[in-house]
Amino acid sequence: MARDLKIGQVLLLPSDAPAEPPPSTSNGETLTDATIATIAKAVAQNEHRSWTSDKVHKDRIKAVTEILKACNRHGVFDNAHRAYILATAYHETNLGQWMVEKWGPSSWQKKYGSKLGNRSDAEGFKYRGRGFVQITGRDHYRNYGDLYGKDFLSDPDQVSEYPLAADILVRGMNEIGFTGPSSTLSKYG
């Protein structure tokens, strides 16, 4: 059933579907800029409510656009994978609205100081979740910094910037796996 979904449908509620549904795409296709724009507008329009600002609406269009362009750059052509990537960004950041983890600290955040390669409570805060997938922990910042040839340990806010945040999301889910190589999208079909 999930394989029959079109891009955007994962985020659309039946009663709130946009007047113009996203275009149908086949698996294996690179999305054109026009198709990406139509999908981004449809997803953002569905999420546009009376209490959201025009800026939030435009930010969501930008987020979906950057993520789908990253899918094209990194060979993600399966519609179910694209939809899952978008759903992850929606769940983790409300499509780019929260690119840095809100800090309480919660009881879970208090544990960051001794997890994920962090060496202190201060590092737990410094290497809190950022980007579309909310990478967390010194080890992830170092590993992704090495992958991109950037120093994320000195400047962790870089992972929140577009289009890098979209690339980290897509490559992490498609090629690398955030919890190891066995957690990439290809494992799930």
Side-chain angles (χ1 to χ4, degrees):
M1 182 192 265
R3 294 265 174 223
D4 297 329
L5 294 174
K6 304 297 183 249
I7 298 287
Q9 285 179 316
V10 166
L11 303 176
L12 301 178
L13 302 174
S15 63
D16 293 327
E20 209 175 300
S24 176
T25 59
S26 298
N27 283 328
E29 282 184 9
T30 299
L31 298 176
T32 65
D33 287 344
T35 299
I36 289 172
T38 301
I39 292 167
K41 287 177 187 170
V43 170
Q45 183 59 41
N46 183 64
E47 287 298 309
H48 193 60
R49 306 281 189 250
S50 60
W51 50 266
T52 60
S53 69
D54 287 339
K55 181 186 181 317
V56 169
H57 180 72
K58 289 176 184 173
D59 287 348
R60 287 182 173 144
I61 290 172
K62 182 179 178 182
V64 173
T65 299
E66 290 294 339
I67 292 166
L68 292 176
K69 284 182 176 183
C71 286
N72 279 349
R73 282 192 300 275
H74 299 292
V76 178
F77 303 125
D78 184 307
N79 287 336
H81 292 178
R82 290 172 178 147
Y84 187 71
I85 288 169
L86 286 172
T88 298
Y90 180 80
H91 172 76
E92 295 288 344
T93 67
N94 197 22
L95 288 174
Q97 299 309 297
W98 306 299
M99 295 296 277
V100 178
E101 181 180 3
K102 294 179 188 278
W103 194 261
S106 68
S107 59
W108 179 248
Q109 289 169 329
K110 288 177 183 176
K111 297 175 185 175
Y112 285 178
S114 62
K115 295 192 180 299
L116 305 169
N118 295 328
R119 300 172 298 192
S120 67
D121 289 343
E123 283 193 352
F125 175 76
K126 182 176 183 178
Y127 301 119
R128 66 192 179 279
R130 287 185 181 81
F132 285 117
V133 76
Q134 298 287 294
I135 66 168
T136 305
R138 186 181 219 293
D139 287 348
H140 281 123
Y141 281 87
R142 184 188 61 248
N143 293 340
Y144 279 90
D146 290 349
L147 180 68
Y148 286 96
K150 296 180 181 273
D151 184 4
F152 295 156
L153 293 177
S154 295
D155 184 8
D157 287 325
Q158 293 177 76
V159 304
S160 299
E161 298 170 5
Y162 298 18
L164 182 60
D167 281 342
I168 290 171
L169 167 71
V170 171
R171 289 188 75 191
M173 293 182 77
N174 190 53
E175 301 169 29
I176 301 159
F178 289 104
T179 58
S182 66
S183 66
T184 61
L185 290 171
S186 62
K187 177 183 176 188
Y188 304 103

